[in-house]
Amino acid sequence: MFGIEVIILISSLRFRLEAENFSPISIYCEGSTCREMQKLGDFKLPHFFNYPPYFTLQPVRETREKQVQLWKELILDYCRTQKIFVIKLEEEFPLFSNSVIERTLSHEAREAFLSALAAEGRAEWLDKGHRSCLILWHRIQEWADIIVNFVKDNGFEDSVMTVEEIRFGIESRRTELHGIDRTILMRALKLLEQKGKLAIFKGTSTDDEGIKFSV
């Protein structure tokens, strides 16, 4: 009788999930126990994060392509909302493990997902050994556009600012530029310099680098 009750319970649960447009893979069931990891801090996790097979590189091409796409989207979304610019493969990273279902991405899987992002220009390896990866949740051109909009919105068209003022100044608070990775910022600034929209000049130290806008 107990076995029949469990089947009815799980069937009822599946029906309720499907009725609410939830994928059945959003719940991990082991026996009669169903567990789910819904958030990392204030970040809402997608349903596939609770499905064990997605933590193992899938051998079938079509399945792997879907798996890689889901992980690419998750990594970009998480890094954007948490303002993370660099992922180090040999260090702990919240997305790469799910303690609820006791699954962790292998080094091979981590490298595969980040390499897929790099192939699309959404990430760059910072070393030949693929130990650190720069995440471009905005491409460099997109960051350049954000800088131009920031300058115009604040009336800095003919002003001079330091690099650190853009990264941590009062004016950049509540914008995506606040806390931006220095490497990404400098590349976006140099792109704008090549287009004649600003000039970068050296100060007495790296922190004193200035920018004269002319947008």
Side-chain angles (χ1 to χ4, degrees):
M1 177 66 88
F2 178 76
I4 295 175
E5 290 176 348
V6 170
I7 292 173
I8 293 174
L9 176 62
I10 293 177
S11 297
S12 175
L13 175 61
R14 179 181 293 272
F15 176 80
R16 191 174 78 249
L17 288 170
E18 292 176 342
E20 296 176 358
N21 294 321
F22 282 99
S23 167
I25 67 171
S26 64
I27 297 290
Y28 173 52
C29 295
E30 190 176 77
S32 61
T33 302
C34 293
R35 299 176 291 169
E36 183 179 27
M37 187 173 182
Q38 298 179 332
K39 288 187 176 183
L40 276 175
D42 59 353
F43 180 79
K44 186 177 180 180
L45 292 162
H47 302 311
F48 84 85
F49 195 76
N50 292 285
Y51 190 46
Y54 277 87
F55 279 81
T56 302
L57 281 175
Q58 296 300 302
V60 179
R61 179 181 176 181
E62 185 176 337
T63 306
R64 180 179 289 205
E65 288 177 351
K66 177 182 178 182
Q67 177 190 27
V68 170
Q69 183 62 34
L70 288 171
W71 274 100
K72 286 190 302 182
E73 293 172 358
L74 175 58
I75 291 169
L76 288 176
D77 192 26
Y78 183 76
C79 288
R80 186 185 72 254
T81 59
Q82 306 302 311
K83 285 206 165 184
I84 294 171
F85 295 94
V86 177
I87 295 177
K88 296 184 178 181
L89 266 68
E90 297 177 355
E91 296 182 3
E92 291 295 323
F93 187 67
L95 284 184
F96 292 160
S97 63
N98 183 334
S99 59
V100 174
I101 61 173
E102 300 178 350
R103 293 294 187 277
T104 299
L105 287 177
S106 66
H107 186 281
E108 180 187 8
R110 301 178 190 193
E111 186 173 356
F113 299 149
L114 293 174
S115 291
L117 283 173
E120 296 180 352
R122 307 309 299 267
E124 293 180 7
W125 291 107
L126 296 175
D127 61 297
K128 293 182 180 179
H130 287 191
R131 291 185 295 271
S132 295
C133 190
L134 185 69
I135 306 300
L136 298 171
W137 26 278
H138 286 311
R139 293 181 173 88
I140 298 301
Q141 179 59 62
E142 294 170 343
W143 279 115
D145 293 340
I146 290 171
I147 293 171
V148 171
N149 290 333
F150 166 74
V151 170
K152 291 180 177 179
D153 290 345
N154 289 277
F156 295 148
E157 286 91 342
D158 296 304
S159 302
V160 176
M161 297 183 73
T162 66
V163 170
E164 294 309 298
E165 282 178 328
I166 296 176
R167 296 181 68 207
F168 300 114
I170 296 176
E171 294 83 359
S172 70
R173 288 180 183 174
R174 298 187 181 88
T175 75
E176 290 186 291
L177 291 172
H178 199 76
I180 183 174
D181 177 83
R182 187 181 180 85
T183 299
I184 292 176
L185 176 59
M186 292 307 299
R187 287 183 57 186
L189 290 173
K190 288 177 181 177
L191 178 60
L192 290 173
E193 186 176 38
Q194 292 170 4
K195 296 182 178 181
K197 294 185 177 182
L198 58 83
I200 302 173
F201 55 89
K202 298 288 184 180
T204 55
S205 68
T206 303
D207 292 340
D208 289 336
E209 282 180 310
I211 300 99
K212 173 67 170 69
F213 295 106
S214 55
V215 298

